[in-house]
Amino acid sequence: MTDIQLPTHARVVVIGGGVIGCSVAYHLGHMGFSDVVLLERHRLTAGTTWHSAGLMVTFGSTSETSTEFRKYTRDLYSRLEAETGQATGFRPVGFIEIATEKDRLEEYRRLTAFNRHCGVDVHEISAKEVGDLFPLARTDDILAGFYVKGDGRVDPVDVTMALAKGAKMKGVKIFEGVGVTGILEKDGVVKGVKTPHGDIQAEVVVNCGGAWGRELGAQAGVTVPLQAAEHYYLITDNIPGISRSWPVIEDPASYGYFREEGGGMMIGLFEPVCAPWKVEGMPNDFAFGEIKPDWDRMGEYIETAMKRVPISMEIGVRKLFCGPESFTPDLRPCLGEAPELKNYFVAAGLNSIGILTGGGVGRMLAHWIKHGRSDVDVTAFHIDRLHPYQTNPEYRRTRTVESLGMVYKCHYPTHSMTTARGAKKSAFHDRLAARGAYFRDVSGWEGADWYTPDASPPVIGPLSWGRQSWFPYWQAEHEATRNGVILMDMSFMSKWYVQGRDAGKVLNYISANNVDGDTGLITYTQWLNEGGTLEADLTVTKLASKFMVVASDTALRHVDTWMRRHTPEDAHCFVTDVTSGLAQLNVQGPRSRELMQSITTADLSNEAFPFRHAREIDIGYARVLLVRITYLGELGYELYIPTEQATHVYDILVEAGVKFGLRHAGLKALASLRMEKAYRDYGHDIDNTDSVLEVGLGFAVDLKKPGGFIGKEAVVAKKAEGPLRKKLVQVFLTDPEPLLFHAEILYRNGNAVGYLRAASYGHTLGGAVGLAMVDGEPGRAIDEAWIKEGVWEVDIAGRKVGATISLKPMYDPANARIKA
Ligand SMILES: Cc1cc2nc3c(=O)[nH]c(=O)nc-3n(C[C@H](O)[C@H](O)[C@H](O)COP(=O)(O)OP(=O)(O)OC[C@H]3O[C@@H](n4cnc5c(N)ncnc54)[C@H](O)[C@@H]3O)c2cc1C
């Protein structure tokens, strides 16, 4: 072992010298952290980075955050050489996405509108223009191309070296040949790293271990559910006439992307069914390594891809390259502070876009480390959305097969992953299945999405951008909620008991609303950070001896961590996750009281049991916590039932329900009902960058309660700024035909002012409905007058459709129905 002198202390230790680790170190350096150490156990780029194809593409994501990552990364790579003197190989030769199928055309047109709104200069071009730009491509079957002139390619090794050099220029110390063998930790806080060359004490540790990141995380008890998969490209012998200045073309329907490489052509592949690599564990000595290619498995995909550039079928193959790249269960990276260990950050699981997002990922993470929170929406990327069971070998082996293939599938909005299913089932699952439920993956739970009306087995597909076969079933469930009574299994909701003498005090300081009022009351509240932006959106119910906190399925680990980290050490307050212990059924609709009253001796009259009240009641042999609350906009109840009594209560309800026309309703109905009422959903239409006032939830903030709350000063300061110039509004299409999903652009008087963060179909309102954050004009508040003065339209795949806008819920703005 060579004698490497490591510092004994550093403010931040970054583990891993791939593009991500070097980018994090570079940005920390630029943000003023001089005391940063990067440790790479082999040499820089030795993991996955060295063999990347180097595509630098900004087009292609419906996530604003991911698009910002891409744009920032491209800009960074184009200026890094001037800053560091180290070339990056960035060549803006252009990029073309090809559509050969009707549904992909729809997808890319929708994407184009969104990406243009986000500042990506993408244009639709004809098949002939594709041929003009890449003359060797077959174009007779192309419906359109989507061209970004400023995109192109980089040299991944050079880019990483330039980032490393830029980091060093800012004082970051980089050590190669130093592997991290363990993590120092005390009381749930990271304290440094262990290496064969000695320990380094550190305030912050960042796991940028790439495909090794899962095992690196496990050393510290941190869950990083990523899995390496075989990932391929092929390089042909020289092709006469091919040019280095031609754009990169991508044809997902043929599983391939194509660009010039060393006088030949590179054909990169994303096969629909991939092969996970080393599920049992990654080899630690794999540096600048290659995986022996599996010609038998890849043969048919290579053949299909080659047809896009027919000359490739006549030219010899110089190399079929296979290397490991890490994929995650939902194709989104694992970013941010680990819920298990404070000050331990992760930036791994890049799903084959680590080069083209690396700059943005590094910047965001460095900002998070410096300021304590992210400045972009991370709800979809936060590592705390993932769960320990997803690191199980069987889960990884199964799900990863689908993940890589999803990259090149048409991304239908109603798609649900089909592998690694059945991991979590509510107590009602088999009964719901017998009723014709179509289940989708809800944070690993089998969530009933809709039901066949005759309990026949559901048939999904073909997927489309239009109305699908189950549209009328969904409509019927929606209408039954508005006019009769429905039952909905919501057992996947995250639930906690918070107990102890100080429980009320602790929760009240975390909550923006007053949640420590009368016993037996449920309170809707947000949890804010010091900046006044949202960390959580949930309810707190004050019961006789405890509090019950309920949040959405995706929020489980974030809310859990936030509560634990904001409970003072000396507080008599104990948080218990009771998600598994309590099944949840929602009984909602104008006839829900009648139904519930028919199965309990408790008095449920409006006088005895008003809106927002909670009480334990009898149903059969069970004790059930009944809460009168709604997320659907009707008179309704949530039933929290001990799991072992869940089916007993369900059977009683269903039997009694016959008389009242009780219908089962799924999550599609939940989405459409709540959207008509403009109820928010954290991670979908509101996120960590939003101020509670801008999303219209100021009514749930209690600025007067004694003791204040986290984020109060920021809310007060925001109020003092005067009328808001950014607001979340409800959007309704006046034409009942088109559908809205997400990311459609909203226009006011011909100017783009925002996009649909989430949308559904309002079966009662009679058209598509969604929520959009709109930016107003300088010096002008967003109010009723500003809305009225506008002519509003939404761009749907290039077609403008008229819309109406509202600050108040379009359905039952006076809340008359829920209080009836
Ligand atoms: C065939 C192929 C083509 C690709 N093409 C593209 C493309 O065109 N565009 C694009 O954007 N992306 C592409 N990618 C993906 C991209 O290469 C990766 O997303 C990216 O390189 C990941 O970078 P990383 O820093 O996370 O991981 P890595 O580059 O693997 O870096 C992780 C580093 O951590 C080190 N490490 C691990 N454990 C320890 C430890 N205990 N102590 C110290 N060091 C440790 C490893 O040695 C390694 O060097 C491609 C990938 C493949 C396989």
Side-chain angles (χ1 to χ4, degrees), residues 15-20 39-42 47-49 51-55 178-180 208-210 212 216 231 233 257 323-325 350 352-356:
I15 310 169
V19 67
I20 300 298
L39 303 176
E40 163 56 51
R41 73 170 150 211
H42 302 296
T48 294
T49 296
H51 55 65
S52 163
L55 267 53
V178 180
V180 169
C208 299
W212 293 264
L216 188 57
H231 195 25
Y233 53 71
Y257 61 84
E325 165 63 340
L350 271 298
S352 80
I353 54 171
I355 306 295
L356 66 87

mmCIF file of all heavy atoms in Angstrom, residues 15-20 39-42 47-49 51-55 178-180 208-210 212 216 231 233 257 323-325 350 352-356, ligand 1:
data_model
loop_
_atom_site.group_PDB
_atom_site.id
_atom_site.type_symbol
_atom_site.label_atom_id
_atom_site.label_comp_id
_atom_site.label_asym_id
_atom_site.label_seq_id
_atom_site.Cartn_x
_atom_site.Cartn_y
_atom_site.Cartn_z
ATOM 1 N N ILE A 15 -17.476 10.655 -1.577
ATOM 2 C CA ILE A 15 -16.950 9.312 -1.909
ATOM 3 C C ILE A 15 -17.315 8.999 -3.355
ATOM 4 O O ILE A 15 -18.491 8.956 -3.720
ATOM 5 C CB ILE A 15 -17.557 8.228 -0.994
ATOM 6 C CG1 ILE A 15 -17.446 8.638 0.477
ATOM 7 C CG2 ILE A 15 -16.865 6.890 -1.235
ATOM 8 C CD1 ILE A 15 -18.259 7.744 1.412
ATOM 9 N N GLY A 16 -16.292 8.773 -4.177
ATOM 10 C CA GLY A 16 -16.532 8.393 -5.565
ATOM 11 C C GLY A 16 -16.074 9.464 -6.532
ATOM 12 O O GLY A 16 -16.495 10.610 -6.442
ATOM 13 N N GLY A 17 -15.217 9.063 -7.456
ATOM 14 C CA GLY A 17 -14.652 10.016 -8.410
ATOM 15 C C GLY A 17 -15.170 9.811 -9.817
ATOM 16 O O GLY A 17 -14.421 9.875 -10.786
ATOM 17 N N GLY A 18 -16.468 9.554 -9.943
ATOM 18 C CA GLY A 18 -17.100 9.578 -11.259
ATOM 19 C C GLY A 18 -17.588 10.987 -11.550
ATOM 20 O O GLY A 18 -17.252 11.936 -10.825
ATOM 21 N N VAL A 19 -18.387 11.114 -12.597
ATOM 22 C CA VAL A 19 -18.847 12.449 -12.969
ATOM 23 C C VAL A 19 -19.648 13.085 -11.832
ATOM 24 O O VAL A 19 -19.561 14.294 -11.595
ATOM 25 C CB VAL A 19 -19.671 12.411 -14.284
ATOM 26 C CG1 VAL A 19 -20.994 11.656 -14.120
ATOM 27 C CG2 VAL A 19 -19.916 13.818 -14.818
ATOM 28 N N ILE A 20 -20.400 12.273 -11.080
ATOM 29 C CA ILE A 20 -21.263 12.847 -10.043
ATOM 30 C C ILE A 20 -20.431 13.336 -8.858
ATOM 31 O O ILE A 20 -20.595 14.473 -8.398
ATOM 32 C CB ILE A 20 -22.327 11.816 -9.595
ATOM 33 C CG1 ILE A 20 -23.208 11.397 -10.785
ATOM 34 C CG2 ILE A 20 -23.182 12.364 -8.459
ATOM 35 C CD1 ILE A 20 -24.017 12.511 -11.424
ATOM 36 N N LEU A 39 -12.669 11.155 -2.272
ATOM 37 C CA LEU A 39 -11.917 9.892 -2.233
ATOM 38 C C LEU A 39 -12.416 8.960 -3.327
ATOM 39 O O LEU A 39 -13.615 8.680 -3.418
ATOM 40 C CB LEU A 39 -12.107 9.212 -0.874
ATOM 41 C CG LEU A 39 -11.713 10.032 0.363
ATOM 42 C CD1 LEU A 39 -12.044 9.257 1.632
ATOM 43 C CD2 LEU A 39 -10.232 10.414 0.329
ATOM 44 N N GLU A 40 -11.498 8.501 -4.149
ATOM 45 C CA GLU A 40 -11.835 7.533 -5.206
ATOM 46 C C GLU A 40 -10.943 6.308 -4.992
ATOM 47 O O GLU A 40 -9.720 6.442 -4.915
ATOM 48 C CB GLU A 40 -11.612 8.152 -6.593
ATOM 49 C CG GLU A 40 -11.531 7.173 -7.739
ATOM 50 C CD GLU A 40 -12.749 6.246 -7.869
ATOM 51 O OE1 GLU A 40 -13.874 6.749 -7.884
ATOM 52 O OE2 GLU A 40 -12.553 5.010 -7.935
ATOM 53 N N ARG A 41 -11.548 5.147 -4.927
ATOM 54 C CA ARG A 41 -10.723 3.994 -4.557
ATOM 55 C C ARG A 41 -9.830 3.503 -5.688
ATOM 56 O O ARG A 41 -8.826 2.857 -5.452
ATOM 57 C CB ARG A 41 -11.574 2.877 -4.000
ATOM 58 C CG ARG A 41 -12.395 2.144 -4.997
ATOM 59 C CD ARG A 41 -12.990 0.914 -4.329
ATOM 60 N NE ARG A 41 -14.264 0.600 -4.937
ATOM 61 C CZ ARG A 41 -15.253 0.043 -4.292
ATOM 62 N NH1 ARG A 41 -15.165 -0.230 -3.024
ATOM 63 N NH2 ARG A 41 -16.363 -0.233 -4.922
ATOM 64 N N HIS A 42 -10.202 3.817 -6.922
ATOM 65 C CA HIS A 42 -9.325 3.467 -8.046
ATOM 66 C C HIS A 42 -8.761 4.764 -8.624
ATOM 67 O O HIS A 42 -8.027 5.451 -7.941
ATOM 68 C CB HIS A 42 -10.095 2.664 -9.090
ATOM 69 C CG HIS A 42 -10.687 1.408 -8.542
ATOM 70 N ND1 HIS A 42 -9.919 0.383 -8.054
ATOM 71 C CD2 HIS A 42 -11.980 1.021 -8.372
ATOM 72 C CE1 HIS A 42 -10.695 -0.593 -7.611
ATOM 73 N NE2 HIS A 42 -11.954 -0.228 -7.796
ATOM 74 N N GLY A 47 -15.240 3.884 -12.634
ATOM 75 C CA GLY A 47 -16.459 3.088 -12.446
ATOM 76 C C GLY A 47 -17.242 2.975 -13.740
ATOM 77 O O GLY A 47 -16.888 2.213 -14.645
ATOM 78 N N THR A 48 -18.308 3.748 -13.848
ATOM 79 C CA THR A 48 -19.143 3.725 -15.057
ATOM 80 C C THR A 48 -18.794 4.866 -16.003
ATOM 81 O O THR A 48 -18.902 4.743 -17.214
ATOM 82 C CB THR A 48 -20.633 3.813 -14.642
ATOM 83 O OG1 THR A 48 -20.971 2.616 -13.934
ATOM 84 C CG2 THR A 48 -21.547 3.930 -15.837
ATOM 85 N N THR A 49 -18.358 5.981 -15.425
ATOM 86 C CA THR A 49 -18.223 7.202 -16.218
ATOM 87 C C THR A 49 -17.342 7.037 -17.456
ATOM 88 O O THR A 49 -17.665 7.550 -18.526
ATOM 89 C CB THR A 49 -17.695 8.337 -15.307
ATOM 90 O OG1 THR A 49 -18.675 8.585 -14.300
ATOM 91 C CG2 THR A 49 -17.413 9.599 -16.090
ATOM 92 N N HIS A 51 -16.820 4.855 -19.628
ATOM 93 C CA HIS A 51 -17.319 4.237 -20.863
ATOM 94 C C HIS A 51 -18.671 4.790 -21.301
ATOM 95 O O HIS A 51 -19.365 4.183 -22.117
ATOM 96 C CB HIS A 51 -17.363 2.718 -20.747
ATOM 97 C CG HIS A 51 -18.154 2.206 -19.576
ATOM 98 N ND1 HIS A 51 -19.496 2.397 -19.467
ATOM 99 C CD2 HIS A 51 -17.768 1.508 -18.479
ATOM 100 C CE1 HIS A 51 -19.921 1.811 -18.352
ATOM 101 N NE2 HIS A 51 -18.894 1.282 -17.727
ATOM 102 N N SER A 52 -19.067 5.925 -20.749
ATOM 103 C CA SER A 52 -20.348 6.504 -21.173
ATOM 104 C C SER A 52 -20.287 6.923 -22.643
ATOM 105 O O SER A 52 -19.225 7.256 -23.169
ATOM 106 C CB SER A 52 -20.640 7.726 -20.308
ATOM 107 O OG SER A 52 -21.615 8.518 -20.921
ATOM 108 N N ALA A 53 -21.454 6.917 -23.271
ATOM 109 C CA ALA A 53 -21.520 7.343 -24.681
ATOM 110 C C ALA A 53 -21.444 8.858 -24.815
ATOM 111 O O ALA A 53 -21.286 9.380 -25.913
ATOM 112 C CB ALA A 53 -22.806 6.824 -25.305
ATOM 113 N N GLY A 54 -21.630 9.564 -23.709
ATOM 114 C CA GLY A 54 -21.424 11.013 -23.723
ATOM 115 C C GLY A 54 -22.514 11.835 -24.394
ATOM 116 O O GLY A 54 -22.266 12.974 -24.806
ATOM 117 N N LEU A 55 -23.725 11.300 -24.497
ATOM 118 C CA LEU A 55 -24.807 12.110 -25.071
ATOM 119 C C LEU A 55 -25.122 13.268 -24.124
ATOM 120 O O LEU A 55 -25.225 13.067 -22.908
ATOM 121 C CB LEU A 55 -26.070 11.256 -25.249
ATOM 122 C CG LEU A 55 -26.263 10.584 -26.606
ATOM 123 C CD1 LEU A 55 -25.054 9.775 -27.011
ATOM 124 C CD2 LEU A 55 -27.507 9.693 -26.596
ATOM 125 N N VAL A 178 -7.923 5.539 -2.761
ATOM 126 C CA VAL A 178 -8.372 5.501 -1.358
ATOM 127 C C VAL A 178 -9.839 5.069 -1.320
ATOM 128 O O VAL A 178 -10.725 5.823 -1.722
ATOM 129 C CB VAL A 178 -8.218 6.874 -0.674
ATOM 130 C CG1 VAL A 178 -8.693 6.784 0.781
ATOM 131 C CG2 VAL A 178 -6.775 7.346 -0.736
ATOM 132 N N GLY A 179 -10.065 3.881 -0.854
ATOM 133 C CA GLY A 179 -11.434 3.385 -0.745
ATOM 134 C C GLY A 179 -11.993 3.629 0.646
ATOM 135 O O GLY A 179 -11.268 3.501 1.643
ATOM 136 N N VAL A 180 -13.247 3.964 0.705
ATOM 137 C CA VAL A 180 -13.903 4.131 2.003
ATOM 138 C C VAL A 180 -14.373 2.765 2.468
ATOM 139 O O VAL A 180 -15.090 2.064 1.748
ATOM 140 C CB VAL A 180 -15.069 5.135 1.902
ATOM 141 C CG1 VAL A 180 -15.919 5.114 3.171
ATOM 142 C CG2 VAL A 180 -14.528 6.534 1.651
ATOM 143 N N CYS A 208 -21.298 9.149 -3.563
ATOM 144 C CA CYS A 208 -21.410 9.244 -5.023
ATOM 145 C C CYS A 208 -20.797 7.977 -5.610
ATOM 146 O O CYS A 208 -19.995 8.031 -6.556
ATOM 147 C CB CYS A 208 -20.681 10.478 -5.545
ATOM 148 S SG CYS A 208 -21.337 12.018 -4.905
ATOM 149 N N GLY A 209 -21.162 6.865 -5.045
ATOM 150 C CA GLY A 209 -20.531 5.593 -5.397
ATOM 151 C C GLY A 209 -21.084 4.917 -6.629
ATOM 152 O O GLY A 209 -20.735 3.758 -6.906
ATOM 153 N N GLY A 210 -21.939 5.587 -7.392
ATOM 154 C CA GLY A 210 -22.460 5.005 -8.635
ATOM 155 C C GLY A 210 -23.118 3.658 -8.367
ATOM 156 O O GLY A 210 -23.854 3.481 -7.393
ATOM 157 N N TRP A 212 -21.973 1.194 -7.131
ATOM 158 C CA TRP A 212 -21.522 0.655 -5.839
ATOM 159 C C TRP A 212 -22.214 1.386 -4.684
ATOM 160 O O TRP A 212 -21.966 1.092 -3.528
ATOM 161 C CB TRP A 212 -19.998 0.779 -5.711
ATOM 162 C CG TRP A 212 -19.270 -0.087 -6.687
ATOM 163 C CD1 TRP A 212 -18.763 -1.340 -6.451
ATOM 164 C CD2 TRP A 212 -18.990 0.210 -8.068
ATOM 165 N NE1 TRP A 212 -18.193 -1.831 -7.606
ATOM 166 C CE2 TRP A 212 -18.309 -0.906 -8.615
ATOM 167 C CE3 TRP A 212 -19.249 1.298 -8.904
ATOM 168 C CZ2 TRP A 212 -17.894 -0.955 -9.947
ATOM 169 C CZ3 TRP A 212 -18.843 1.245 -10.231
ATOM 170 C CH2 TRP A 212 -18.169 0.126 -10.743
ATOM 171 N N LEU A 216 -22.257 0.777 -0.536
ATOM 172 C CA LEU A 216 -21.620 1.846 0.247
ATOM 173 C C LEU A 216 -22.621 2.386 1.268
ATOM 174 O O LEU A 216 -22.287 2.605 2.436
ATOM 175 C CB LEU A 216 -21.183 2.953 -0.722
ATOM 176 C CG LEU A 216 -20.342 4.091 -0.184
ATOM 177 C CD1 LEU A 216 -19.066 3.576 0.456
ATOM 178 C CD2 LEU A 216 -20.004 5.069 -1.317
ATOM 179 N N HIS A 231 -25.358 -2.626 -19.826
ATOM 180 C CA HIS A 231 -25.766 -1.509 -20.691
ATOM 181 C C HIS A 231 -24.792 -1.469 -21.879
ATOM 182 O O HIS A 231 -23.583 -1.515 -21.676
ATOM 183 C CB HIS A 231 -25.754 -0.218 -19.883
ATOM 184 C CG HIS A 231 -26.484 0.908 -20.537
ATOM 185 N ND1 HIS A 231 -27.495 0.728 -21.448
ATOM 186 C CD2 HIS A 231 -26.356 2.261 -20.406
ATOM 187 C CE1 HIS A 231 -27.947 1.901 -21.850
ATOM 188 N NE2 HIS A 231 -27.272 2.844 -21.233
ATOM 189 N N TYR A 233 -23.399 -0.446 -25.966
ATOM 190 C CA TYR A 233 -23.367 0.203 -27.285
ATOM 191 C C TYR A 233 -22.432 -0.572 -28.193
ATOM 192 O O TYR A 233 -21.563 -1.330 -27.732
ATOM 193 C CB TYR A 233 -23.002 1.684 -27.233
ATOM 194 C CG TYR A 233 -21.731 2.062 -26.501
ATOM 195 C CD1 TYR A 233 -20.470 1.763 -27.005
ATOM 196 C CD2 TYR A 233 -21.812 2.783 -25.316
ATOM 197 C CE1 TYR A 233 -19.319 2.144 -26.341
ATOM 198 C CE2 TYR A 233 -20.666 3.165 -24.627
ATOM 199 C CZ TYR A 233 -19.426 2.843 -25.148
ATOM 200 O OH TYR A 233 -18.293 3.221 -24.483
ATOM 201 N N TYR A 257 -29.847 4.603 -30.209
ATOM 202 C CA TYR A 257 -29.395 5.962 -30.574
ATOM 203 C C TYR A 257 -28.134 5.822 -31.394
ATOM 204 O O TYR A 257 -27.420 4.804 -31.318
ATOM 205 C CB TYR A 257 -29.206 6.843 -29.328
ATOM 206 C CG TYR A 257 -28.185 6.364 -28.322
ATOM 207 C CD1 TYR A 257 -26.821 6.655 -28.463
ATOM 208 C CD2 TYR A 257 -28.582 5.616 -27.217
ATOM 209 C CE1 TYR A 257 -25.894 6.209 -27.531
ATOM 210 C CE2 TYR A 257 -27.653 5.174 -26.274
ATOM 211 C CZ TYR A 257 -26.315 5.471 -26.438
ATOM 212 O OH TYR A 257 -25.386 5.034 -25.522
ATOM 213 N N GLY A 323 -21.142 -2.331 -20.260
ATOM 214 C CA GLY A 323 -20.655 -1.875 -18.953
ATOM 215 C C GLY A 323 -21.811 -1.766 -17.977
ATOM 216 O O GLY A 323 -22.972 -1.752 -18.383
ATOM 217 N N PRO A 324 -21.517 -1.706 -16.678
ATOM 218 C CA PRO A 324 -22.611 -1.606 -15.702
ATOM 219 C C PRO A 324 -23.085 -0.172 -15.519
ATOM 220 O O PRO A 324 -22.281 0.745 -15.436
ATOM 221 C CB PRO A 324 -21.949 -2.105 -14.412
ATOM 222 C CG PRO A 324 -20.504 -1.766 -14.562
ATOM 223 C CD PRO A 324 -20.191 -1.760 -16.031
ATOM 224 N N GLU A 325 -24.383 0.012 -15.492
ATOM 225 C CA GLU A 325 -24.958 1.309 -15.101
ATOM 226 C C GLU A 325 -26.052 1.023 -14.097
ATOM 227 O O GLU A 325 -26.718 -0.014 -14.160
ATOM 228 C CB GLU A 325 -25.510 2.038 -16.338
ATOM 229 C CG GLU A 325 -26.433 3.214 -16.060
ATOM 230 C CD GLU A 325 -25.792 4.405 -15.301
ATOM 231 O OE1 GLU A 325 -24.754 4.206 -14.658
ATOM 232 O OE2 GLU A 325 -26.375 5.494 -15.357
ATOM 233 N N LEU A 350 -28.184 6.924 -11.409
ATOM 234 C CA LEU A 350 -28.459 7.943 -12.422
ATOM 235 C C LEU A 350 -29.193 7.424 -13.659
ATOM 236 O O LEU A 350 -29.480 8.186 -14.580
ATOM 237 C CB LEU A 350 -27.153 8.651 -12.823
ATOM 238 C CG LEU A 350 -26.785 9.871 -11.968
ATOM 239 C CD1 LEU A 350 -27.860 10.952 -12.077
ATOM 240 C CD2 LEU A 350 -26.593 9.563 -10.502
ATOM 241 N N SER A 352 -28.628 5.971 -16.444
ATOM 242 C CA SER A 352 -28.043 6.197 -17.770
ATOM 243 C C SER A 352 -28.081 7.644 -18.241
ATOM 244 O O SER A 352 -27.817 7.916 -19.410
ATOM 245 C CB SER A 352 -28.667 5.282 -18.834
ATOM 246 O OG SER A 352 -29.896 5.788 -19.252
ATOM 247 N N ILE A 353 -28.365 8.586 -17.329
ATOM 248 C CA ILE A 353 -28.246 9.990 -17.743
ATOM 249 C C ILE A 353 -27.358 10.787 -16.769
ATOM 250 O O ILE A 353 -27.536 11.978 -16.581
ATOM 251 C CB ILE A 353 -29.622 10.675 -17.946
ATOM 252 C CG1 ILE A 353 -30.503 10.528 -16.703
ATOM 253 C CG2 ILE A 353 -30.324 10.137 -19.185
ATOM 254 C CD1 ILE A 353 -31.781 11.382 -16.771
ATOM 255 N N GLY A 354 -26.384 10.095 -16.215
ATOM 256 C CA GLY A 354 -25.505 10.754 -15.243
ATOM 257 C C GLY A 354 -24.612 11.810 -15.849
ATOM 258 O O GLY A 354 -24.251 12.783 -15.174
ATOM 259 N N ILE A 355 -24.230 11.638 -17.102
ATOM 260 C CA ILE A 355 -23.380 12.660 -17.731
ATOM 261 C C ILE A 355 -24.229 13.888 -18.048
ATOM 262 O O ILE A 355 -23.862 15.018 -17.711
ATOM 263 C CB ILE A 355 -22.732 12.122 -19.031
ATOM 264 C CG1 ILE A 355 -21.984 10.802 -18.776
ATOM 265 C CG2 ILE A 355 -21.827 13.197 -19.656
ATOM 266 C CD1 ILE A 355 -20.797 10.877 -17.862
ATOM 267 N N LEU A 356 -25.378 13.654 -18.656
ATOM 268 C CA LEU A 356 -26.147 14.794 -19.151
ATOM 269 C C LEU A 356 -26.921 15.534 -18.063
ATOM 270 O O LEU A 356 -27.466 16.613 -18.298
ATOM 271 C CB LEU A 356 -27.037 14.378 -20.330
ATOM 272 C CG LEU A 356 -28.193 13.389 -20.144
ATOM 273 C CD1 LEU A 356 -29.457 14.093 -19.736
ATOM 274 C CD2 LEU A 356 -28.406 12.626 -21.450
HETATM 275 C C1 LIG B 1 -22.799 1.977 -22.024
HETATM 276 C C2 LIG B 1 -23.185 3.227 -21.289
HETATM 277 C C3 LIG B 1 -23.483 4.371 -21.992
HETATM 278 C C4 LIG B 1 -23.866 5.527 -21.339
HETATM 279 N N1 LIG B 1 -24.143 6.653 -22.049
HETATM 280 C C5 LIG B 1 -24.529 7.783 -21.413
HETATM 281 C C6 LIG B 1 -24.793 8.982 -22.141
HETATM 282 O O1 LIG B 1 -24.679 8.994 -23.360
HETATM 283 N N2 LIG B 1 -25.151 10.091 -21.457
HETATM 284 C C7 LIG B 1 -25.299 10.080 -20.103
HETATM 285 O O2 LIG B 1 -25.674 11.101 -19.531
HETATM 286 N N3 LIG B 1 -25.033 8.966 -19.394
HETATM 287 C C8 LIG B 1 -24.660 7.829 -20.005
HETATM 288 N N4 LIG B 1 -24.379 6.702 -19.285
HETATM 289 C C9 LIG B 1 -24.570 6.741 -17.849
HETATM 290 C C10 LIG B 1 -23.428 7.442 -17.137
HETATM 291 O O3 LIG B 1 -22.213 6.955 -17.606
HETATM 292 C C11 LIG B 1 -23.573 7.247 -15.638
HETATM 293 O O4 LIG B 1 -24.861 7.644 -15.215
HETATM 294 C C12 LIG B 1 -22.550 8.042 -14.864
HETATM 295 O O5 LIG B 1 -21.268 7.821 -15.354
HETATM 296 C C13 LIG B 1 -22.638 7.692 -13.403
HETATM 297 O O6 LIG B 1 -21.673 8.421 -12.742
HETATM 298 P P1 LIG B 1 -21.368 8.180 -11.211
HETATM 299 O O7 LIG B 1 -20.378 9.183 -10.803
HETATM 300 O O8 LIG B 1 -22.655 8.119 -10.470
HETATM 301 O O9 LIG B 1 -20.800 6.693 -11.136
HETATM 302 P P2 LIG B 1 -19.335 6.135 -11.438
HETATM 303 O O10 LIG B 1 -18.752 6.723 -12.644
HETATM 304 O O11 LIG B 1 -19.433 4.662 -11.428
HETATM 305 O O12 LIG B 1 -18.505 6.634 -10.208
HETATM 306 C C14 LIG B 1 -18.602 6.034 -8.936
HETATM 307 C C15 LIG B 1 -17.215 5.927 -8.389
HETATM 308 O O13 LIG B 1 -17.266 5.595 -7.009
HETATM 309 C C16 LIG B 1 -16.125 4.823 -6.721
HETATM 310 N N5 LIG B 1 -16.370 4.138 -5.464
HETATM 311 C C17 LIG B 1 -17.319 3.222 -5.200
HETATM 312 N N6 LIG B 1 -17.232 2.788 -3.938
HETATM 313 C C18 LIG B 1 -16.205 3.463 -3.378
HETATM 314 C C19 LIG B 1 -15.625 3.459 -2.085
HETATM 315 N N7 LIG B 1 -16.084 2.659 -1.119
HETATM 316 N N8 LIG B 1 -14.596 4.299 -1.832
HETATM 317 C C20 LIG B 1 -14.125 5.120 -2.814
HETATM 318 N N9 LIG B 1 -14.629 5.131 -4.053
HETATM 319 C C21 LIG B 1 -15.657 4.323 -4.344
HETATM 320 C C22 LIG B 1 -16.028 3.904 -7.923
HETATM 321 O O14 LIG B 1 -14.723 3.367 -8.048
HETATM 322 C C23 LIG B 1 -16.402 4.825 -9.056
HETATM 323 O O15 LIG B 1 -15.290 5.403 -9.681
HETATM 324 C C24 LIG B 1 -23.960 5.539 -19.920
HETATM 325 C C25 LIG B 1 -23.634 4.377 -19.216
HETATM 326 C C26 LIG B 1 -23.233 3.244 -19.878
HETATM 327 C C27 LIG B 1 -22.900 2.021 -19.098
#
